[in-house]
Amino acid sequence: MAGLSYGTAGRIAVRELHSSRGKFAFVVLSVAIGVAALTGVRGFSSAFRRTLLLRARSIMAADVSARTNMPPTPEQEKGIAALEAAGNDESPVTELLSMASSARSMDPLLVSVKAVDPAKYPFYGTVVLEPKMPLDKALTDDSVAVGDDLLLRLHLHVGDAIKLGTEQFRIAAAVLDEPDRLSGSFAAGPRVLISQKALEGTGLVAPGSRVSRRYLFRLPRAKKGRALSDAAVAELKARLETLLPEAQVADYREANPALTKALDGATGLLSLMSLVALVLGAVGVAMAMRAHLQQRLDSIAIMKSLGAGSGQVMKIYLLQTLLLGLSGGVLGVVLGMGVQMAFPLFLAKLLHLTPRFALDVHAIGLGLTAGMLTTLLFTLPPLLDVRNVRPILILRRNVDAADDPFGARLMRKLKGSGAQIGASALIVVGLVALATRVSDSRRVGWTFAVGLVVVLLVLLAMAAVTLWGLRRFLKGTGLRLPSTLRHGLANLYRPGNPSAALLAALGLGVMQIAAVYMVQRSIVSEMRGATAENLPNIFLIDMSTDEVGGVRKLLATQPTVKGTPEILPVVSARLVAVNGVPFADLKLKHVGRFAQSLNLTWPPVTDAPPPGDSVVEGRWWTAKEAAGAAQRPLVAIERERAARLKVKPGDRITMSAQDEDFTATVAAVYEADSRHAFSRAEFILPQTVLAGMPVVWYGGVHCDPAATAGLRRVLYEHFPTVTVIDVAATLEVIRQVLLQVTYVIQFLAAFSIFAGMVILASAIAGTRYRRIREVVVLKTLGATRARIAAIFSVEFAVLGLIAGAVGLVFANVLARYLLVHVMHFAYGFQAGANVAAWAAVAGLTVAAGWMASHRVLGQKPLEVLREE
């Protein structure tokens, strides 16, 4: 066989594959399902994410927004012009407070003026007007659009005139909805939309005026079928932060905290599921190919007896491996495309948008590469073992030669085998490369690969300890155990049984499948809270203390109001110093000129955060600490505001309210969900600290979205000075997006879990050929089918229980780390779910083992003995 060509090696490999089609079905199935999960999940999620993020942009009406209270300098104007020249669209938004009046009303009304460029604004979403018309038709040099609450208060109709500054304007339409209502300023007073050109003629904007400016940017359109690059968004954001150091710069992913958190969580989970599919496929390949090579030891020994070298034999099985990887990869890509097309059909009744199917060449290429590479990498160690097969094996069968390669014997071999160590290093490097490509993050790739190696080593060590403990246990119990149970337990460490490898593979698979389930359950649970139908969608601004009681009673009588209204007190204050450093000397970036203005409040329950707030640093004060806070003030600060002020628990904040300074110690940093009225205030103190200070009240109430106009009218009739801000339409968009994300996460996670279970079942099934000889020996010694079935069932059950226990422990550790430290979601240990999963793993292991091995019981002893 000297000079074996690749053509000849390929023919031998194909002939062997053809003669063992059933055996290799497990390998092809493992690769195919792993690749299908990778390409299907990745392809569909990328298409869905593109569609979803288009809606997310409409909440900001742009890709990137920069808010500042300072007029731009000539250098900054040149910088903004340079960004436009680079292909970015820019549209300014100016917001300020002013007085409006009309001939029908003697008293002027405080209004919130929003000036836009109607030719460009909004870049995403639509301004809904009544009567329906394009925005550039409503906003001209002599016409404006106003909120319907302004029409109520000034007793006006569309077509009437109002006066802003020195100019009269015709009311062309009523504003029903603005896409960026939540990301704009929540100022008091009804809304007035006006063009930038018309605003210039009113004289309202003058040097020293308190004006908020937003610069909206839209990046150049991405190529058809491709998503806008996150890197391009980040680059533009960084350039704006440098150009406008006093501005608060945000991109569309930060338009709404709940939506941002949901999208980030979904993206992280989808990457995790893709990595799980990748590794589980590799586990299935490794187990099946190792079993196959163990079966071919005699053939390898014969080839070596005829003069074949180790390199020539390895060439045959290397080509065989590549053919299997390619076959599984192609089949997996086809299945993945089917999955990508099928998901929208299953979800059509749940989703209000259906991603358009597009052939994702990147996902297909990644899937094929992953299938081929994982197959090759994880079969390298058994392929290298071919060098250790001696021709004498065919004459003197040594059962111990087939001993578990993951056991102590392998460790002894590794000490003197640079090739095996190199193969292990190559597997790690390959996993890093694949994980980096799948997750689009080098850090995630390295963390995943290193974590996988550490967990695998721990699993192998625990498997070895478990098998050692079983051996000692059986020696100690003697004959006191039933013979079937004793035999089944002893089977776990019999010569030639890959128990340690199977325990490690099952434990790893259980860990990753359970981690996916736990992570998706926590994310979906939190997002369902964000989509609750009783969250506030109408906000009440500037209620006096005398009006609060009446507002509560009025809301309680309205049938369209759901849940209990949220009413919070707000005390206006000014930031004086941080840790003794005056505010002017803090040198803070992106805080704005009016960041010194603070809104203080106290919680409805003394010793717990307000609804929707959760502590992320420090701890909340107790009732006893709150009672003594008048002498030792405490404060909790919203996480983003704390980051901008660079404060943490234990720092000291000096504030001034009613010209009275007081210093409070930061007890906690909390995260607000932006869905409750308490998100209005960013500083929370015990009530005893704010006692006696003048208070303005704010409120939030949930109303049927179709009935908000009626509720606004009722509130105006009874409390004409209370400003009502209706964001029901915008919040309903966010709610629907979050619902869609939860549905997609659940479906994709279910598919990934199912794929993982099939792959692990195929890995268990790959050991059935090892059982044939044992069945024959037992039958020859007189064992019945029932006794053999009981022995194997004990073995399968113990494997499942041990692997399930180890896998679930690591799954909880991994899920907690991902949720708390990476995705910033809450983690809660579910004892009942873990016990049920443990029992399910044992049951599924027994079922999978028997689904693949039941025919072994029918093997005729003479057929096998003749081969000896």
Side-chain angles (χ1 to χ4, degrees):
M1 296 181 67
L4 182 68
S5 66
Y6 278 100
T8 304
R11 285 194 296 273
I12 296 174
V14 171
R15 190 180 303 119
E16 190 171 288
L17 289 173
H18 183 73
S19 63
S20 306
R21 292 186 297 272
K23 185 189 306 182
F24 289 115
F26 294 116
V27 181
V28 174
L29 183 64
S30 295
V31 178
I33 293 180
V35 172
L38 180 63
T39 56
V41 169
R42 189 177 179 88
F44 176 78
S45 63
S46 61
F48 180 79
R49 193 168 184 268
R50 281 197 301 268
T51 307
L52 203 60
L53 289 181
L54 186 62
R55 288 199 170 188
R57 288 180 175 89
S58 68
I59 299 173
M60 182 177 279
D63 292 319
V64 181
S65 170
R67 176 194 294 276
T68 179
N69 297 312
M70 302 289 290
T73 64
E75 290 76 13
Q76 290 172 339
E77 290 179 345
K78 290 180 181 178
I80 293 173
L83 291 176
E84 286 190 90
N88 303 292
D89 288 334
E90 185 269 333
S91 181
V93 175
T94 305
E95 294 173 302
L96 68 153
L97 293 175
S98 181
M99 304 301 293
S101 60
S102 72
R104 297 191 179 186
S105 175
M106 298 299 296
D107 297 323
L109 177 67
L110 181 68
V111 295
S112 174
V113 179
K114 177 179 178 180
V116 300
D117 180 356
K120 293 183 176 181
Y121 171 88
F123 288 129
Y124 301 98
T126 306
V127 178
V128 181
L129 302 175
E130 183 61 41
K132 293 182 179 179
M133 64 176 67
L135 186 62
D136 57 358
K137 299 294 184 185
L139 306 186
T140 65
D141 293 349
D142 59 358
S143 64
V144 297
V146 302
D148 54 358
D149 49 350
L150 183 142
L151 300 178
L152 281 173
R153 295 191 179 198
L154 293 181
H155 308 289
L156 299 174
H157 300 89
V158 173
D160 290 341
I162 62 169
K163 184 178 182 181
L164 287 172
T166 59
E167 299 294 325
Q168 291 276 349
F169 295 94
R170 179 179 59 86
I171 299 175
V175 181
L176 301 183
D177 185 37
E178 305 164 60
D180 58 337
R181 187 67 177 99
L182 284 178
S183 57
S185 60
F186 249 25
R191 199 68 149 171
V192 176
L193 277 184
I194 188 173
S195 70
Q196 289 281 355
K197 186 177 180 181
L199 178 64
E200 293 175 3
T202 61
L204 295 176
V205 179
S209 299
R210 183 164 179 167
V211 176
S212 174
R213 294 174 175 84
R214 277 190 295 143
Y215 300 97
L216 305 182
F217 289 87
R218 180 177 63 185
L219 277 76
R221 301 288 180 89
K223 293 182 180 179
K224 188 175 181 181
R226 300 191 65 180
L228 183 65
S229 168
D230 287 344
V233 176
E235 181 184 357
L236 176 58
K237 181 179 177 182
R239 292 180 65 181
L240 283 171
E241 287 176 341
T242 303
L243 179 64
L244 304 170
E246 295 296 324
Q248 296 179 15
V249 184
D251 61 49
Y252 63 91
R253 294 166 297 184
E254 303 169 285
N256 180 268
L259 184 58
T260 301
K261 193 174 182 180
L263 289 175
D264 289 345
T267 302
L269 180 60
L270 293 175
S271 294
L272 174 64
M273 288 190 291
S274 297
L275 291 171
V276 166
L278 183 69
V279 173
L280 290 181
V283 168
V285 169
M287 293 298 297
M289 282 301 295
R290 189 174 294 277
H292 165 64
L293 289 172
Q294 291 288 348
Q295 286 294 115
R296 304 305 298 173
L297 287 177
D298 288 349
S299 298
I300 295 170
I302 291 172
M303 284 190 284
K304 286 194 171 185
S305 298
L306 296 175
S310 296
Q312 293 171 326
V313 177
M314 288 176 63
K315 185 184 295 185
I316 295 172
Y317 289 100
L318 179 63
L319 290 174
Q320 196 175 87
T321 298
L322 292 175
L323 286 172
L324 289 171
L326 181 61
S327 302
V330 171
L331 179 60
V333 167
V334 174
L335 291 175
M337 291 172 62
V339 167
Q340 189 177 345
M341 289 187 289
F343 270 135
L345 299 179
F346 286 120
L347 301 175
K349 294 182 180 180
L350 300 175
L351 300 180
H352 295 275
L353 70 159
T354 302
R356 187 175 51 133
F357 173 77
L359 198 63
D360 194 333
V361 179
H362 178 70
I364 292 174
L366 184 62
L368 278 173
T369 303
M372 295 280 290
L373 194 56
T374 51
T375 305
L376 181 60
L377 286 174
F378 279 81
T379 51
L380 270 181
L383 282 175
L384 290 173
D385 280 340
V386 168
R387 299 172 308 155
N388 301 321
V389 177
R390 299 290 180 261
I392 200 173
L393 180 65
I394 193 62
L395 301 174
R396 186 179 65 196
R397 183 178 303 278
N398 181 8
V399 174
D400 288 333
D403 202 359
D404 183 5
F406 287 92
R409 184 173 178 273
L410 176 66
M411 298 308 294
R412 288 196 300 271
K413 281 200 306 178
L414 284 177
K415 290 181 181 179
S417 176
Q420 287 285 1
I421 296 174
S424 302
L426 193 59
I427 290 174
V428 174
V429 172
L431 283 177
V432 169
L434 286 173
T436 301
R437 291 296 298 165
V438 170
S439 62
D440 298 320
S441 169
R442 183 176 300 177
R443 178 186 175 189
V444 171
W446 275 103
T447 303
F448 175 80
V450 173
L452 182 65
V453 171
V454 171
V455 170
L456 187 58
L457 290 176
V458 173
L459 284 169
L460 289 172
M462 294 189 71
V465 170
T466 301
L467 295 179
W468 176 83
L470 277 176
R471 193 189 299 256
R472 299 281 296 180
F473 171 74
L474 289 177
K475 283 184 178 180
T477 56
L479 299 177
R480 287 180 299 220
L481 292 176
S483 60
T484 301
L485 177 60
R486 189 173 67 253
H487 196 163
L489 293 174
N491 257 11
L492 291 168
Y493 56 83
R494 73 180 187 275
N497 190 359
S499 299
L502 199 55
L503 277 173
L506 283 174
L508 189 64
V510 170
M511 178 195 74
Q512 296 188 84
I513 292 173
V516 167
Y517 173 77
M518 294 173 187
V519 171
Q520 71 88 22
R521 181 172 178 175
S522 293
I523 293 175
V524 169
S525 176
E526 187 161 333
M527 284 196 288
R528 280 179 174 168
T531 59
E533 295 186 352
N534 60 349
L535 293 173
N537 58 3
I538 288 182
F539 293 93
L540 311 178
I541 308 295
D542 291 341
M543 292 180 287
S544 66
T545 302
D546 295 336
E547 293 173 320
V548 171
V551 170
R552 290 183 189 271
K553 291 180 181 178
L554 177 63
L555 293 175
T557 63
Q558 300 304 306
T560 58
V561 173
K562 298 179 181 179
T564 303
E566 298 178 4
I567 307 293
L568 76 150
V570 172
V571 174
S572 296
R574 185 171 55 86
L575 180 60
V576 177
V578 175
N579 290 325
V581 180
F583 178 81
D585 299 332
L586 289 176
K587 298 179 181 179
L588 302 173
K589 294 182 178 180
H590 311 298
V591 294
R593 186 175 63 181
F594 300 106
Q596 239 183 318
S597 300
L598 308 180
N599 286 331
L600 317 180
T601 189
W602 62 79
V605 179
T606 301
D607 55 355
D613 296 346
S614 57
V615 176
V616 294
E617 289 184 64
R619 65 175 182 85
W620 205 262
W621 48 78
T622 63
K624 182 178 180 180
E625 289 171 330
Q631 289 74 36
R632 300 182 62 183
L634 300 170
V635 63
I637 307 178
E638 192 272 330
R639 182 176 62 85
E640 186 176 343
R641 191 67 181 268
R644 287 177 176 166
L645 293 177
K646 300 178 181 179
V647 297
K648 58 185 183 301
D651 289 343
R652 293 172 294 107
I653 304 291
T654 302
M655 295 164 275
S656 176
Q658 292 295 104
D659 296 328
E660 181 180 342
D661 291 357
F662 63 94
T663 300
T665 301
V666 179
V669 174
Y670 67 91
E671 186 167 22
D673 63 4
S674 78
R675 302 185 298 270
H676 292 269
F678 277 89
S679 299
R680 173 74 183 177
E682 298 173 325
F683 292 76
I684 303 175
L685 299 91
Q687 185 175 0
T688 53
V689 180
L690 302 178
M693 297 184 183
V695 175
V696 175
W697 296 80
Y698 294 82
V701 60
H702 182 86
C703 175
D704 185 345
T708 56
L711 180 62
R712 293 200 311 269
R713 191 173 293 106
V714 169
L715 284 168
Y716 170 71
E717 291 173 353
H718 291 81
F719 300 97
T721 60
V722 174
T723 299
V724 181
I725 298 178
D726 182 359
V727 292
T730 302
L731 290 179
E732 185 62 20
V733 171
I734 296 175
R735 179 175 174 272
Q736 291 299 327
V737 169
L738 292 176
L739 280 174
Q740 291 152 14
V741 173
T742 62
Y743 293 144
V744 170
I745 285 177
Q746 287 175 296
F747 272 86
L748 294 184
F751 175 77
S752 292
I753 291 171
F754 170 75
M757 291 169 60
V758 172
I759 290 172
L760 288 182
S762 70
I764 297 171
T767 65
R768 72 189 182 104
Y769 294 98
R770 294 173 174 269
R771 304 182 185 281
I772 294 176
R773 184 173 298 158
E774 183 178 358
V775 169
V776 167
V777 172
L778 290 173
K779 281 188 173 183
T780 303
L781 295 176
T784 63
R785 287 192 178 190
R787 184 178 180 83
I788 296 172
I791 291 172
F792 282 177
S793 295
V794 170
E795 181 183 350
F796 290 142
V798 173
L799 276 173
L801 288 172
I802 296 175
V806 175
L808 286 170
V809 168
F810 279 103
N812 279 278
V813 173
L814 177 61
R816 188 183 186 282
Y817 172 77
L818 289 173
L819 288 169
V820 175
H821 299 288
V822 178
M823 300 180 183
H824 305 293
F825 283 85
Y827 165 80
F829 177 74
Q830 301 290 330
N834 278 272
V835 172
W838 189 35
V841 169
L844 288 172
T845 304
V846 174
W850 277 119
M851 284 176 63
S853 304
H854 70 281
R855 292 185 180 179
V856 173
L857 294 179
Q859 190 75 38
K860 302 293 184 182
L862 195 57
E863 295 176 4
V864 177
L865 292 175
R866 278 175 177 170
E867 294 179 3
E868 302 291 324

